[in-house]
Amino acid sequence: MALKDVLIDELRDMYSAENQLVKALPKLAKGAKDQTLKTLFTDHLEETKGQVERLKQVFEIFGEKPTGEHCNGMEGVIEEGADALEKDEEGPSFDLGIVGGALRTEHYEIAGYTASIAMAKTLNLNEVVALLTENLKEEEAAAQKITAAAQPLLKAAAAQPEEAKAPKTAKEKYSAEKSREDEKKAAPDLKKHTTSTARKAA
Ligand SMILES: [Fe+2]
């Protein structure tokens, strides 16, 4: 596969990711209790719509259509954010769960754009590089703003009294079971790691 084709695949993934976020960001804005977070998500929704437009411009340069790949990664990351919205937490603790979800989406996009820009630079596609860099800068700024908005929430959450744990929902039980499976599957490789680390230390 030529590098240009890998880049186009990557960008179709990003196009799907951005479109998924256009649907997901209003839910985060609605769910967040903190006004700063609400405003941030609403503002970033507008930026995201602009990013979809820039990606369309990139595909025009290629003479290709932007659809063709569904981004499973972003679907998963958004799913994690949706879990945070269902959590039975109060005020700042609830919002901090959303912050974790939102930061994951931003960093997923930062990774996607960083990789795509590197490919476009190698192919000397200056116009494409410029458009993708604009998107990347917005994602980086959004991640920084979310991190800053989390600071007062962290302070407030630290002052929150501990609450009695609610019983686990069916979804949470399923997730807990899967996490034990993850641990079990990794165990043989971790054992090898522990043995080799012990050997190095000896
Ligand atoms: Fe984005």
Side-chain angles (χ1 to χ4, degrees), residues 9-74:
D9 265 9
E10 180 81 33
L11 292 174
R12 284 195 173 128
D13 227 62
M14 291 307 297
Y15 182 73
S16 160
E18 297 292 10
N19 277 313
Q20 290 184 54
L21 275 174
V22 168
K23 293 301 290 178
L25 279 166
K27 290 177 196 157
L28 292 185
K30 193 173 169 224
K33 299 186 196 309
D34 178 67
Q35 194 51 49
T36 311
L37 274 186
K38 273 184 189 293
T39 311
L40 235 158
F41 294 142
T42 310
D43 290 350
H44 194 50
L45 170 65
E46 289 315 304
E47 275 181 341
T48 304
K49 289 176 185 169
Q51 292 169 356
V52 171
E53 287 310 311
R54 279 191 208 109
L55 284 174
K56 280 186 184 164
Q57 279 175 259
V58 167
F59 279 95
E60 264 170 41
I61 295 171
F62 285 124
E64 296 270 356
K65 59 176 177 36
T67 52
E69 291 273 345
H70 170 70
C71 184
N72 290 317
M74 186 55 92

Side-chain angles (χ1 to χ4, degrees), residues 12-177:
R12 284 195 173 128
D13 227 62
M14 291 307 297
Y15 182 73
S16 160
E18 297 292 10
N19 277 313
Q20 290 184 54
L21 275 174
V22 168
K23 293 301 290 178
L25 279 166
K27 290 177 196 157
L28 292 185
K30 193 173 169 224
K33 299 186 196 309
D34 178 67
Q35 194 51 49
T36 311
L37 274 186
K38 273 184 189 293
T39 311
L40 235 158
F41 294 142
T42 310
D43 290 350
H44 194 50
L45 170 65
E46 289 315 304
E47 275 181 341
T48 304
K49 289 176 185 169
Q51 292 169 356
V52 171
E53 287 310 311
R54 279 191 208 109
L55 284 174
K56 280 186 184 164
Q57 279 175 259
V58 167
F59 279 95
E60 264 170 41
I61 295 171
F62 285 124
E64 296 270 356
K65 59 176 177 36
T67 52
E69 291 273 345
H70 170 70
C71 184
N72 290 317
M74 186 55 92
E75 187 180 329
V77 173
I78 288 173
E79 183 72 24
E80 298 277 341
D83 280 352
L85 287 171
E86 284 173 20
K87 284 267 186 298
D88 195 22
E89 299 286 347
E90 299 287 326
S93 294
F94 176 83
D95 277 343
L96 284 167
I98 299 179
V99 163
L103 271 180
R104 279 179 175 83
T105 68
E106 295 312 319
H107 283 272
Y108 188 89
E109 293 186 292
I110 289 168
Y113 285 123
T114 303
S116 311
I117 290 167
M119 287 186 239
K121 272 188 183 160
T122 305
L123 293 164
N124 288 318
L125 299 166
N126 300 335
E127 225 182 319
V128 172
V129 170
L131 286 162
L132 297 178
T133 304
E134 278 187 68
N135 281 11
L136 174 64
K137 293 265 174 278
E138 285 178 353
E139 312 300 14
E140 287 172 340
Q144 276 171 11
K145 283 181 211 159
I146 295 167
T147 306
Q151 298 314 307
L153 296 172
L154 287 164
K155 270 199 196 126
Q160 259 179 303
E162 288 226 16
E163 282 171 52
K165 284 224 180 322
K168 275 195 164 66
T169 62
K171 198 176 172 188
E172 284 168 340
K173 280 183 194 157
Y174 174 77
S175 181
E177 178 57 37

